[in-house]
Amino acid sequence: MTFGKLKRGTALSRIVMIAALGLASTGALANEVSLKSADGTVNLTGEFVDFVDDNYIIRTALGELRISAARVRCEGAACPSFEDVTADVTIAGSDTVGEALMPLLMSGFAGSMDAESSVVATSTATDVVASFVGDAGFGDELGSFLIRSTVSGDAFDALLDGTAEVGMAARRITPNEARALRDAGAGNMVSPSQEHIIAVESMVVILHPSNPLDTLNKEQLRDIYEGRVTNWSELGGNDEPIRVGAREAETGSRAVFEDRVFLGDRADLVSGAFIAQSNNDLAAFVNSEPGGIGYVGYAFQRGAKPITVVNHCGMPMTPNVFAAKTEEYALNRRIYLYNTDDGASDWASDLIEFAMSPEADSVITKAGFINLGVQRQSQSSDSARAQMLQNANVDAFERGIISEMLTSMQSHDRLSTTFRFRTGSSRLDERARIDMIRLVDYLQTLPEGTSVKVVGFTDDVGPYESNLVLSKDRAASVLGSLQAEYGDALTNVTFSSTGYGETAPATCNTDDQGRSINRRVEIWVESGTAS
Protein backbone atom coordinates (compact mmCIF):
# COMPACT_ATOMS: atom_id res chain seq x y z
CA MET A 1 0.00 0.00 0.00
CA THR A 2 1.34 3.42 -0.89
CA PHE A 3 0.77 5.99 1.80
CA GLY A 4 0.21 9.42 0.34
CA LYS A 5 2.00 12.54 1.56
CA LEU A 6 -0.22 14.52 3.92
CA LYS A 7 -0.27 18.03 5.15
CA ARG A 8 0.90 18.71 8.69
CA GLY A 9 -1.12 20.32 11.44
CA THR A 10 -3.62 17.82 12.81
CA ALA A 11 -6.60 18.35 15.02
CA LEU A 12 -4.68 17.51 18.17
CA SER A 13 -2.26 20.39 17.59
CA ARG A 14 -5.24 22.76 17.59
CA ILE A 15 -6.66 21.76 20.95
CA VAL A 16 -7.19 24.91 23.00
CA MET A 17 -7.63 24.60 26.73
CA ILE A 18 -10.14 27.19 27.90
CA ALA A 19 -10.75 25.91 31.43
CA ALA A 20 -9.24 28.08 34.17
CA LEU A 21 -6.86 26.14 36.38
CA GLY A 22 -7.02 28.49 39.39
CA LEU A 23 -8.87 25.95 41.50
CA ALA A 24 -8.36 27.77 44.77
CA SER A 25 -10.00 30.96 43.57
CA THR A 26 -12.90 29.41 41.63
CA GLY A 27 -13.78 26.51 43.89
CA ALA A 28 -14.32 22.85 43.12
CA LEU A 29 -17.86 23.23 41.79
CA ALA A 30 -16.76 25.58 39.04
CA ASN A 31 -14.40 22.90 37.78
CA GLU A 32 -16.63 19.85 38.18
CA VAL A 33 -16.92 17.67 35.08
CA SER A 34 -18.44 14.30 34.19
CA LEU A 35 -16.65 11.72 32.04
CA LYS A 36 -19.07 9.36 30.31
CA SER A 37 -18.59 6.56 27.77
CA ALA A 38 -21.07 5.97 24.98
CA ASP A 39 -21.79 2.41 26.16
CA GLY A 40 -22.52 3.46 29.76
CA THR A 41 -19.62 1.54 31.31
CA VAL A 42 -17.87 4.73 32.51
CA ASN A 43 -19.66 7.54 34.38
CA LEU A 44 -17.33 9.53 36.62
CA THR A 45 -17.71 12.96 38.21
CA GLY A 46 -14.83 14.96 39.64
CA GLU A 47 -12.80 18.13 39.59
CA PHE A 48 -11.10 18.81 36.26
CA VAL A 49 -7.32 18.99 36.65
CA ASP A 50 -5.71 18.73 33.20
CA PHE A 51 -5.76 17.21 29.72
CA VAL A 52 -2.42 15.50 28.98
CA ASP A 53 -1.39 13.03 26.25
CA ASP A 54 -5.00 12.44 25.16
CA ASN A 55 -6.09 11.72 28.75
CA TYR A 56 -8.47 13.59 31.04
CA ILE A 57 -7.20 13.97 34.60
CA ILE A 58 -9.85 14.54 37.27
CA ARG A 59 -9.68 14.67 41.08
CA THR A 60 -12.20 12.48 42.93
CA ALA A 61 -12.63 11.07 46.42
CA LEU A 62 -10.42 8.21 45.22
CA GLY A 63 -7.66 10.61 44.24
CA GLU A 64 -6.57 11.74 40.79
CA LEU A 65 -7.83 9.54 37.95
CA ARG A 66 -6.50 9.50 34.39
CA ILE A 67 -9.08 8.44 31.74
CA SER A 68 -8.34 8.03 28.02
CA ALA A 69 -10.19 10.55 25.87
CA ALA A 70 -10.81 7.75 23.38
CA ARG A 71 -13.15 6.08 25.88
CA VAL A 72 -15.18 9.00 27.26
CA ARG A 73 -16.76 12.34 26.50
CA CYS A 74 -16.33 15.25 28.90
CA GLU A 75 -19.41 17.15 30.09
CA GLY A 76 -19.25 20.37 32.08
CA ALA A 77 -18.14 23.97 31.77
CA ALA A 78 -14.58 23.13 32.79
CA CYS A 79 -14.06 20.59 30.02
CA PRO A 80 -11.36 21.38 27.47
CA SER A 81 -12.68 22.89 24.25
CA PHE A 82 -11.59 21.43 20.93
CA GLU A 83 -11.90 24.63 18.95
CA ASP A 84 -11.41 24.83 15.20
CA VAL A 85 -11.46 21.05 14.80
CA THR A 86 -10.27 20.20 11.31
CA ALA A 87 -8.87 17.06 9.75
CA ASP A 88 -7.31 15.83 6.55
CA VAL A 89 -10.28 13.57 5.80
CA THR A 90 -13.86 13.67 7.10
CA ILE A 91 -15.86 10.43 7.31
CA ALA A 92 -19.60 10.70 7.95
CA GLY A 93 -22.58 8.39 8.29
CA SER A 94 -23.74 5.34 10.23
CA ASP A 95 -23.09 5.26 13.98
CA THR A 96 -23.04 1.45 13.72
CA VAL A 97 -19.87 1.78 11.65
CA GLY A 98 -18.48 4.95 13.21
CA GLU A 99 -18.76 3.98 16.87
CA ALA A 100 -18.10 0.24 16.82
CA LEU A 101 -15.86 -0.43 13.84
CA MET A 102 -14.05 2.73 12.82
CA PRO A 103 -11.89 3.29 15.96
CA LEU A 104 -10.47 -0.25 15.73
CA LEU A 105 -10.13 0.05 11.96
CA MET A 106 -8.09 3.21 12.53
CA SER A 107 -5.83 1.34 14.94
CA GLY A 108 -5.28 -1.48 12.44
CA PHE A 109 -4.71 0.97 9.59
CA ALA A 110 -2.08 2.76 11.67
CA GLY A 111 -0.39 -0.52 12.55
CA SER A 112 -0.16 -1.47 8.87
CA MET A 113 2.01 1.64 8.38
CA ASP A 114 4.04 1.30 11.58
CA ALA A 115 2.21 4.34 12.90
CA GLU A 116 0.13 4.96 16.00
CA SER A 117 -3.43 6.32 16.06
CA SER A 118 -4.92 8.44 18.80
CA VAL A 119 -8.72 8.79 18.97
CA VAL A 120 -10.08 11.75 20.94
CA ALA A 121 -13.67 12.87 21.47
CA THR A 122 -14.52 16.46 20.55
CA SER A 123 -17.03 18.83 22.09
CA THR A 124 -19.56 17.68 19.46
CA ALA A 125 -21.33 14.55 20.68
CA THR A 126 -21.21 12.79 17.31
CA ASP A 127 -17.58 13.52 16.44
CA VAL A 128 -14.19 12.02 17.25
CA VAL A 129 -10.80 12.77 15.73
CA ALA A 130 -8.25 10.07 14.92
CA SER A 131 -4.72 11.42 14.53
CA PHE A 132 -1.76 9.44 13.19
CA VAL A 133 1.90 9.68 14.21
CA GLY A 134 4.61 7.79 12.33
CA ASP A 135 7.36 5.51 13.65
CA ALA A 136 5.00 3.80 16.12
CA GLY A 137 4.18 7.12 17.77
CA PHE A 138 7.73 8.52 17.92
CA GLY A 139 7.79 10.20 14.52
CA ASP A 140 6.05 13.05 12.75
CA GLU A 141 2.32 13.72 12.63
CA LEU A 142 1.02 12.14 9.44
CA GLY A 143 -2.59 13.27 9.27
CA SER A 144 -6.02 12.94 10.81
CA PHE A 145 -9.58 11.75 10.29
CA LEU A 146 -12.71 13.41 11.63
CA ILE A 147 -15.32 10.65 12.15
CA ARG A 148 -18.91 11.91 12.39
CA SER A 149 -21.27 9.14 13.56
CA THR A 150 -24.96 9.78 13.00
CA VAL A 151 -27.16 7.78 10.56
CA SER A 152 -26.52 6.07 7.23
CA GLY A 153 -28.54 8.64 5.29
CA ASP A 154 -26.17 11.39 6.41
CA ALA A 155 -23.32 9.64 4.58
CA PHE A 156 -24.88 10.47 1.23
CA ASP A 157 -25.94 13.98 2.24
CA ALA A 158 -22.35 14.70 3.31
CA LEU A 159 -20.93 13.31 0.06
CA LEU A 160 -23.45 15.39 -1.87
CA ASP A 161 -22.61 18.69 -0.18
CA GLY A 162 -18.88 17.97 -0.06
CA THR A 163 -18.54 18.00 3.73
CA ALA A 164 -17.22 14.41 3.77
CA GLU A 165 -14.83 12.47 1.57
CA VAL A 166 -15.92 9.02 2.75
CA GLY A 167 -19.43 7.86 3.68
CA MET A 168 -20.21 5.06 6.16
CA ALA A 169 -23.43 3.09 5.69
CA ALA A 170 -25.03 0.08 7.35
CA ARG A 171 -27.27 -0.31 4.30
CA ARG A 172 -26.84 0.05 0.58
CA ILE A 173 -27.35 3.44 -1.06
CA THR A 174 -30.92 3.89 -2.37
CA PRO A 175 -31.63 4.59 -6.06
CA ASN A 176 -32.81 8.13 -5.20
CA GLU A 177 -29.62 8.87 -3.26
CA ALA A 178 -27.47 7.45 -6.05
CA ARG A 179 -29.30 9.51 -8.70
CA ALA A 180 -28.95 12.71 -6.69
CA LEU A 181 -25.20 12.20 -6.39
CA ARG A 182 -24.87 11.23 -10.06
CA ASP A 183 -26.77 14.35 -11.14
CA ALA A 184 -24.42 16.43 -8.98
CA GLY A 185 -21.42 15.02 -10.82
CA ALA A 186 -20.36 12.49 -8.16
CA GLY A 187 -20.35 9.56 -10.60
CA ASN A 188 -21.84 6.08 -10.44
CA MET A 189 -22.14 5.40 -6.72
CA VAL A 190 -22.60 1.64 -7.20
CA SER A 191 -19.48 1.14 -9.32
CA PRO A 192 -16.70 -0.96 -7.73
CA SER A 193 -14.49 2.14 -7.52
CA GLN A 194 -17.04 4.00 -5.37
CA GLU A 195 -19.01 1.38 -3.43
CA HIS A 196 -16.97 -0.78 -1.07
CA ILE A 197 -18.31 -3.68 1.03
CA ILE A 198 -15.96 -4.03 4.00
CA ALA A 199 -17.87 -6.42 6.29
CA VAL A 200 -21.21 -8.02 7.02
CA GLU A 201 -23.21 -7.96 10.22
CA SER A 202 -26.11 -9.83 11.76
CA MET A 203 -28.73 -7.63 13.34
CA VAL A 204 -30.07 -9.26 16.49
CA VAL A 205 -33.50 -8.96 18.08
CA ILE A 206 -32.90 -8.59 21.83
CA LEU A 207 -35.08 -8.97 24.92
CA HIS A 208 -34.52 -8.25 28.60
CA PRO A 209 -32.47 -11.10 30.15
CA SER A 210 -35.43 -12.07 32.38
CA ASN A 211 -37.74 -12.72 29.40
CA PRO A 212 -38.22 -16.53 29.04
CA LEU A 213 -38.95 -16.44 25.30
CA ASP A 214 -36.21 -17.74 22.98
CA THR A 215 -37.87 -17.36 19.56
CA LEU A 216 -40.28 -15.05 17.78
CA ASN A 217 -41.54 -15.31 14.23
CA LYS A 218 -41.76 -12.40 11.84
CA GLU A 219 -45.54 -12.11 12.17
CA GLN A 220 -45.20 -11.81 15.95
CA LEU A 221 -42.49 -9.16 15.56
CA ARG A 222 -44.71 -7.14 13.27
CA ASP A 223 -47.66 -7.44 15.70
CA ILE A 224 -45.41 -6.23 18.53
CA TYR A 225 -43.99 -3.27 16.64
CA GLU A 226 -47.35 -2.15 15.30
CA GLY A 227 -49.08 -2.51 18.69
CA ARG A 228 -51.44 -5.42 18.05
CA VAL A 229 -49.70 -7.45 20.78
CA THR A 230 -49.00 -5.41 23.91
CA ASN A 231 -48.24 -7.95 26.66
CA TRP A 232 -45.69 -10.77 26.65
CA SER A 233 -48.28 -13.15 28.12
CA GLU A 234 -50.06 -13.09 24.73
CA LEU A 235 -47.01 -14.86 23.29
CA GLY A 236 -46.46 -17.31 26.13
CA GLY A 237 -44.16 -15.07 28.14
CA ASN A 238 -44.44 -13.25 31.46
CA ASP A 239 -47.41 -11.04 32.32
CA GLU A 240 -45.41 -7.94 31.43
CA PRO A 241 -46.33 -4.98 29.20
CA ILE A 242 -44.20 -4.87 26.08
CA ARG A 243 -41.92 -1.85 25.77
CA VAL A 244 -40.95 -1.40 22.13
CA GLY A 245 -37.57 0.09 21.23
CA ALA A 246 -36.61 1.14 17.68
CA ARG A 247 -34.01 3.21 15.86
CA GLU A 248 -34.49 6.56 14.17
CA ALA A 249 -36.22 6.59 10.78
CA GLU A 250 -33.11 7.40 8.70
CA THR A 251 -30.84 4.76 10.20
CA GLY A 252 -29.63 1.71 8.31
CA SER A 253 -30.75 -0.46 11.24
CA ARG A 254 -34.36 0.71 10.97
CA ALA A 255 -34.36 0.30 7.19
CA VAL A 256 -32.99 -3.26 7.31
CA PHE A 257 -35.32 -4.33 10.12
CA GLU A 258 -38.44 -3.07 8.39
CA ASP A 259 -37.34 -4.43 5.02
CA ARG A 260 -36.75 -7.94 6.36
CA VAL A 261 -39.56 -8.16 8.93
CA PHE A 262 -42.23 -6.10 7.18
CA LEU A 263 -41.19 -7.12 3.66
CA GLY A 264 -40.30 -3.59 2.60
CA ASP A 265 -43.28 -1.80 4.18
CA ARG A 266 -42.74 1.06 6.60
CA ALA A 267 -43.83 0.06 10.09
CA ASP A 268 -46.82 1.83 11.60
CA LEU A 269 -44.86 2.03 14.83
CA VAL A 270 -46.79 1.63 18.07
CA SER A 271 -47.43 4.87 19.96
CA GLY A 272 -45.01 5.47 22.80
CA ALA A 273 -42.16 3.45 21.32
CA PHE A 274 -38.70 4.40 22.57
CA ILE A 275 -36.67 5.86 19.69
CA ALA A 276 -32.96 5.33 20.29
CA GLN A 277 -30.27 7.55 18.84
CA SER A 278 -27.69 4.77 18.84
CA ASN A 279 -27.28 1.00 19.15
CA ASN A 280 -25.86 1.47 22.65
CA ASP A 281 -28.90 3.52 23.71
CA LEU A 282 -31.27 0.84 22.43
CA ALA A 283 -29.39 -1.98 24.19
CA ALA A 284 -29.37 0.05 27.42
CA PHE A 285 -33.13 0.60 27.10
CA VAL A 286 -33.85 -3.12 26.65
CA ASN A 287 -31.57 -4.06 29.54
CA SER A 288 -33.36 -1.61 31.83
CA GLU A 289 -36.92 -2.62 30.89
CA PRO A 290 -38.21 -6.12 31.87
CA GLY A 291 -40.70 -5.86 29.00
CA GLY A 292 -38.23 -4.37 26.53
CA ILE A 293 -37.55 -5.45 22.96
CA GLY A 294 -35.24 -3.93 20.36
CA TYR A 295 -32.90 -4.69 17.48
CA VAL A 296 -29.19 -3.90 17.40
CA GLY A 297 -26.07 -4.84 15.52
CA TYR A 298 -24.43 -8.04 16.73
CA ALA A 299 -21.61 -6.07 18.36
CA PHE A 300 -24.01 -4.03 20.52
CA GLN A 301 -25.98 -6.63 22.53
CA ARG A 302 -24.31 -5.67 25.84
CA GLY A 303 -25.80 -8.51 27.89
CA ALA A 304 -29.32 -8.39 26.48
CA LYS A 305 -30.90 -11.70 25.42
CA PRO A 306 -30.61 -12.47 21.68
CA ILE A 307 -33.41 -14.57 20.21
CA THR A 308 -33.90 -16.77 17.16
CA VAL A 309 -36.14 -15.30 14.45
CA VAL A 310 -38.41 -17.76 12.63
CA ASN A 311 -39.09 -16.75 9.04
CA HIS A 312 -42.40 -16.79 7.18
CA CYS A 313 -42.12 -20.44 6.17
CA GLY A 314 -41.14 -21.73 9.59
CA MET A 315 -37.36 -21.90 9.19
CA PRO A 316 -35.45 -20.78 12.33
CA MET A 317 -32.76 -18.19 11.68
CA THR A 318 -30.06 -18.07 14.36
CA PRO A 319 -27.25 -15.53 13.94
CA ASN A 320 -23.84 -17.15 13.53
CA VAL A 321 -20.70 -16.33 11.59
CA PHE A 322 -21.18 -18.82 8.74
CA ALA A 323 -24.82 -17.80 8.14
CA ALA A 324 -23.73 -14.16 8.12
CA LYS A 325 -20.91 -14.76 5.64
CA THR A 326 -23.26 -16.65 3.30
CA GLU A 327 -25.93 -13.96 3.89
CA GLU A 328 -28.55 -16.57 4.71
CA TYR A 329 -29.51 -15.15 8.12
CA ALA A 330 -32.83 -13.29 8.09
CA LEU A 331 -31.50 -9.98 9.45
CA ASN A 332 -28.14 -9.86 7.76
CA ARG A 333 -26.72 -6.66 6.28
CA ARG A 334 -23.64 -5.41 4.48
CA ILE A 335 -21.39 -2.66 5.81
CA TYR A 336 -20.26 -0.11 3.21
CA LEU A 337 -17.83 2.72 2.63
CA TYR A 338 -18.59 5.12 -0.27
CA ASN A 339 -16.66 7.83 -2.08
CA THR A 340 -17.38 10.07 -5.06
CA ASP A 341 -15.60 9.68 -8.40
CA ASP A 342 -13.69 12.96 -8.27
CA GLY A 343 -10.79 11.08 -6.78
CA ALA A 344 -10.43 10.28 -3.11
CA SER A 345 -7.24 11.60 -1.53
CA ASP A 346 -4.34 9.20 -1.01
CA TRP A 347 -5.19 9.15 2.69
CA ALA A 348 -8.84 8.16 2.11
CA SER A 349 -7.98 5.69 -0.67
CA ASP A 350 -5.41 3.94 1.49
CA LEU A 351 -7.93 3.60 4.33
CA ILE A 352 -10.53 2.05 2.01
CA GLU A 353 -7.94 -0.29 0.51
CA PHE A 354 -6.91 -1.43 4.00
CA ALA A 355 -10.54 -1.90 5.13
CA MET A 356 -11.20 -4.29 2.22
CA SER A 357 -7.99 -6.28 2.62
CA PRO A 358 -7.33 -9.48 4.62
CA GLU A 359 -5.13 -7.33 6.87
CA ALA A 360 -8.30 -5.77 8.30
CA ASP A 361 -10.04 -9.08 9.05
CA SER A 362 -8.82 -9.34 12.64
CA VAL A 363 -9.87 -5.81 13.65
CA ILE A 364 -13.25 -6.24 11.94
CA THR A 365 -13.80 -9.41 13.97
CA LYS A 366 -12.59 -7.73 17.17
CA ALA A 367 -15.14 -4.95 16.63
CA GLY A 368 -17.93 -7.55 16.58
CA PHE A 369 -18.49 -7.53 12.83
CA ILE A 370 -17.96 -10.38 10.38
CA ASN A 371 -15.12 -10.14 7.89
CA LEU A 372 -15.22 -11.33 4.28
CA GLY A 373 -12.66 -14.10 4.73
CA VAL A 374 -13.49 -17.64 3.60
CA GLN A 375 -14.83 -20.04 6.23
CA ARG A 376 -15.30 -23.79 5.79
CA GLN A 377 -18.12 -25.95 7.19
CA SER A 378 -18.83 -29.68 7.14
CA GLN A 379 -21.96 -30.96 5.39
CA SER A 380 -22.42 -34.07 7.53
CA SER A 381 -25.58 -36.17 7.49
CA ASP A 382 -26.69 -34.68 10.82
CA SER A 383 -26.38 -31.06 9.63
CA ALA A 384 -29.54 -28.94 9.49
CA ARG A 385 -29.56 -28.89 5.69
CA ALA A 386 -29.02 -32.63 5.37
CA GLN A 387 -31.85 -33.27 7.83
CA MET A 388 -34.16 -30.96 5.90
CA LEU A 389 -33.40 -32.77 2.64
CA GLN A 390 -33.87 -36.20 4.18
CA ASN A 391 -37.29 -35.20 5.56
CA ALA A 392 -38.53 -33.44 2.41
CA ASN A 393 -41.97 -34.54 1.13
CA VAL A 394 -41.31 -34.82 -2.62
CA ASP A 395 -42.01 -37.11 -5.57
CA ALA A 396 -39.71 -39.82 -6.89
CA PHE A 397 -38.01 -37.53 -9.44
CA GLU A 398 -37.11 -34.85 -6.90
CA ARG A 399 -36.11 -37.57 -4.41
CA GLY A 400 -33.52 -38.73 -6.93
CA ILE A 401 -32.06 -35.20 -7.16
CA ILE A 402 -31.97 -34.95 -3.37
CA SER A 403 -30.23 -38.32 -3.10
CA GLU A 404 -27.57 -37.18 -5.57
CA MET A 405 -27.03 -33.96 -3.60
CA LEU A 406 -26.79 -35.79 -0.24
CA THR A 407 -24.18 -38.15 -1.65
CA SER A 408 -22.06 -35.26 -2.89
CA MET A 409 -22.44 -33.41 0.43
CA GLN A 410 -20.93 -36.36 2.31
CA SER A 411 -17.67 -36.00 0.43
CA HIS A 412 -17.49 -32.20 0.25
CA ASP A 413 -17.39 -29.32 2.75
CA ARG A 414 -19.08 -26.04 1.93
CA LEU A 415 -17.18 -22.75 1.83
CA SER A 416 -18.83 -19.55 2.97
CA THR A 417 -18.16 -18.03 -0.46
CA THR A 418 -21.59 -17.74 -2.07
CA PHE A 419 -22.24 -15.96 -5.36
CA ARG A 420 -25.63 -14.36 -6.02
CA PHE A 421 -27.30 -12.88 -9.06
CA ARG A 422 -29.05 -9.57 -9.50
CA THR A 423 -32.84 -9.82 -9.68
CA GLY A 424 -33.97 -10.98 -13.12
CA SER A 425 -30.40 -11.12 -14.39
CA SER A 426 -27.59 -13.57 -15.02
CA ARG A 427 -25.15 -10.91 -13.76
CA LEU A 428 -23.49 -11.45 -10.39
CA ASP A 429 -24.16 -8.92 -7.63
CA GLU A 430 -21.78 -6.27 -6.25
CA ARG A 431 -20.13 -8.51 -3.66
CA ALA A 432 -19.04 -11.16 -6.21
CA ARG A 433 -15.83 -9.39 -7.25
CA ILE A 434 -14.58 -9.24 -3.65
CA ASP A 435 -15.54 -12.85 -2.95
CA MET A 436 -13.86 -14.10 -6.13
CA ILE A 437 -10.50 -12.65 -5.06
CA ARG A 438 -10.82 -14.04 -1.53
CA LEU A 439 -11.83 -17.45 -2.93
CA VAL A 440 -8.82 -17.66 -5.24
CA ASP A 441 -6.47 -16.82 -2.37
CA TYR A 442 -8.04 -19.63 -0.31
CA LEU A 443 -8.04 -22.23 -3.10
CA GLN A 444 -4.35 -21.61 -3.76
CA THR A 445 -3.59 -22.96 -0.28
CA LEU A 446 -5.29 -26.34 -0.87
CA PRO A 447 -3.31 -29.54 -1.55
CA GLU A 448 -2.53 -30.60 -5.11
CA GLY A 449 -5.44 -32.36 -6.81
CA THR A 450 -8.18 -31.15 -4.43
CA SER A 451 -11.67 -31.48 -5.92
CA VAL A 452 -13.63 -28.22 -6.05
CA LYS A 453 -17.30 -28.30 -7.04
CA VAL A 454 -19.25 -25.20 -8.14
CA VAL A 455 -22.91 -25.82 -7.26
CA GLY A 456 -25.91 -23.81 -8.47
CA PHE A 457 -29.36 -23.26 -6.96
CA THR A 458 -32.45 -21.24 -7.95
CA ASP A 459 -35.65 -19.91 -6.44
CA ASP A 460 -38.89 -21.86 -7.04
CA VAL A 461 -40.37 -19.59 -9.71
CA GLY A 462 -41.02 -21.68 -12.86
CA PRO A 463 -41.05 -25.42 -13.58
CA TYR A 464 -38.74 -27.65 -11.51
CA GLU A 465 -36.97 -29.07 -14.56
CA SER A 466 -36.29 -25.60 -15.99
CA ASN A 467 -34.83 -24.45 -12.67
CA LEU A 468 -32.62 -27.52 -12.61
CA VAL A 469 -31.17 -26.57 -16.00
CA LEU A 470 -30.84 -22.90 -14.98
CA SER A 471 -28.94 -23.81 -11.80
CA LYS A 472 -26.44 -25.87 -13.78
CA ASP A 473 -26.00 -23.09 -16.33
CA ARG A 474 -25.31 -20.52 -13.60
CA ALA A 475 -22.80 -22.79 -11.90
CA ALA A 476 -21.04 -23.36 -15.22
CA SER A 477 -21.02 -19.60 -15.84
CA VAL A 478 -19.36 -18.87 -12.48
CA LEU A 479 -16.84 -21.66 -13.06
CA GLY A 480 -16.07 -20.26 -16.51
CA SER A 481 -15.45 -16.79 -15.10
CA LEU A 482 -13.24 -18.21 -12.35
CA GLN A 483 -11.12 -20.24 -14.75
CA ALA A 484 -10.90 -17.53 -17.40
CA GLU A 485 -9.57 -14.93 -14.97
CA TYR A 486 -7.66 -17.03 -12.44
CA GLY A 487 -7.15 -20.45 -14.03
CA ASP A 488 -3.37 -20.08 -14.31
CA ALA A 489 -3.17 -19.51 -10.55
CA LEU A 490 -5.30 -22.54 -9.65
CA THR A 491 -3.50 -25.49 -11.21
CA ASN A 492 -3.48 -27.25 -7.81
CA VAL A 493 -7.24 -27.96 -7.85
CA THR A 494 -9.64 -29.77 -10.19
CA PHE A 495 -13.01 -28.17 -10.96
CA SER A 496 -16.46 -29.45 -11.82
CA SER A 497 -19.90 -27.86 -11.75
CA THR A 498 -23.46 -29.00 -11.23
CA GLY A 499 -26.82 -27.67 -10.04
CA TYR A 500 -29.76 -28.78 -7.95
CA GLY A 501 -32.39 -26.25 -8.99
CA GLU A 502 -34.83 -25.14 -6.30
CA THR A 503 -33.76 -27.98 -3.98
CA ALA A 504 -32.50 -26.94 -0.52
CA PRO A 505 -33.76 -23.35 -0.28
CA ALA A 506 -31.78 -21.28 2.19
CA THR A 507 -34.89 -19.29 3.14
CA CYS A 508 -38.51 -18.74 2.09
CA ASN A 509 -39.39 -18.21 -1.57
CA THR A 510 -42.40 -16.11 -0.57
CA ASP A 511 -40.92 -12.68 -1.30
CA ASP A 512 -38.29 -11.00 -3.48
CA GLN A 513 -35.75 -10.90 -0.66
CA GLY A 514 -36.03 -14.62 -0.02
CA ARG A 515 -35.91 -15.52 -3.70
CA SER A 516 -32.78 -13.41 -4.18
CA ILE A 517 -31.06 -15.32 -1.36
CA ASN A 518 -31.99 -18.65 -2.94
CA ARG A 519 -30.59 -17.69 -6.37
CA ARG A 520 -27.03 -18.64 -5.53
CA VAL A 521 -23.90 -20.54 -6.51
CA GLU A 522 -22.00 -22.29 -3.72
CA ILE A 523 -18.41 -23.57 -3.59
CA TRP A 524 -17.78 -27.05 -2.21
CA VAL A 525 -14.33 -28.54 -1.57
CA GLU A 526 -13.33 -32.13 -1.08
CA SER A 527 -13.62 -33.27 2.55
CA GLY A 528 -10.40 -34.17 4.31
CA THR A 529 -8.33 -31.49 2.59
CA ALA A 530 -7.15 -28.57 4.66
CA SER A 531 -5.62 -25.21 3.95
Side-chain angles (χ1 to χ4, degrees), residues 272-397:
F274 173 77
I275 306 300
Q277 295 185 340
S278 70
N279 284 280
N280 283 323
D281 288 345
L282 189 48
F285 165 78
V286 172
N287 276 315
S288 67
E289 293 283 346
I293 182 173
Y295 49 87
V296 296
Y298 191 85
F300 295 89
Q301 298 174 56
R302 303 207 58 78
K305 180 180 181 178
I307 62 168
T308 294
V309 176
V310 179
N311 65 21
H312 294 93
C313 52
M315 299 170 66
M317 299 290 179
T318 302
N320 59 59
V321 172
F322 195 85
K325 284 176 178 282
T326 62
E327 300 190 302
E328 291 169 5
Y329 171 62
L331 296 176
N332 214 61
R333 61 178 171 181
R334 296 172 177 179
I335 303 299
Y336 296 87
L337 295 180
Y338 287 90
N339 59 270
T340 59
D341 78 341
D342 54 1
S345 66
D346 290 340
W347 194 218
S349 296
D350 286 349
L351 171 67
I352 292 171
E353 181 183 342
F354 171 78
M356 297 179 67
S357 73
E359 283 186 275
D361 286 352
S362 60
V363 294
I364 288 171
T365 300
K366 186 175 181 180
F369 293 81
I370 295 149
N371 64 57
L372 302 182
V374 177
Q375 186 174 346
R376 184 169 176 165
Q377 181 171 279
S378 169
Q379 300 190 102
S380 61
S381 59
D382 60 353
S383 65
R385 178 152 74 169
Q387 292 294 312
M388 179 189 71
L389 291 170
Q390 292 167 16
N391 296 326
N393 183 20
V394 296
D395 62 24
F397 175 70

Side-chain angles (χ1 to χ4, degrees), residues 136-312:
F138 292 93
D140 295 331
E141 293 178 348
L142 299 175
S144 59
F145 287 90
L146 171 62
I147 305 165
R148 179 161 292 141
S149 302
T150 52
V151 299
S152 291
D154 287 347
F156 310 112
D157 291 339
L159 290 173
L160 185 62
D161 64 22
T163 56
E165 193 171 341
V166 179
M168 308 176 288
R171 61 164 174 82
R172 198 179 192 203
I173 191 172
T174 67
N176 285 340
E177 290 165 336
R179 280 192 287 269
L181 281 157
R182 180 202 62 196
D183 293 345
N188 179 6
M189 296 302 297
V190 296
S191 71
S193 63
Q194 295 182 235
E195 178 182 62
H196 313 281
I197 303 168
I198 61 171
V200 292
E201 184 190 33
S202 295
M203 287 182 58
V204 182
V205 177
I206 55 173
L207 308 179
H208 189 273
S210 67
N211 195 317
L213 296 180
D214 295 311
T215 64
L216 289 171
N217 63 44
K218 288 188 176 182
E219 289 78 10
Q220 290 170 328
L221 284 173
R222 183 162 191 162
D223 287 343
I224 288 170
Y225 271 82
E226 294 191 330
R228 288 183 289 276
V229 173
T230 59
N231 193 291
W232 287 111
S233 62
E234 299 176 61
L235 301 174
N238 298 328
D239 183 11
E240 186 77 49
I242 296 175
R243 288 295 316 277
V244 171
R247 290 298 311 278
E248 296 170 291
E250 297 306 314
T251 59
S253 298
R254 175 90 168 255
V256 170
F257 182 78
E258 292 184 348
D259 181 59
R260 305 296 169 80
V261 174
F262 304 144
L263 304 183
D265 296 337
R266 299 292 288 185
D268 185 13
L269 199 60
V270 61
S271 176
F274 173 77
I275 306 300
Q277 295 185 340
S278 70
N279 284 280
N280 283 323
D281 288 345
L282 189 48
F285 165 78
V286 172
N287 276 315
S288 67
E289 293 283 346
I293 182 173
Y295 49 87
V296 296
Y298 191 85
F300 295 89
Q301 298 174 56
R302 303 207 58 78
K305 180 180 181 178
I307 62 168
T308 294
V309 176
V310 179
N311 65 21
H312 294 93

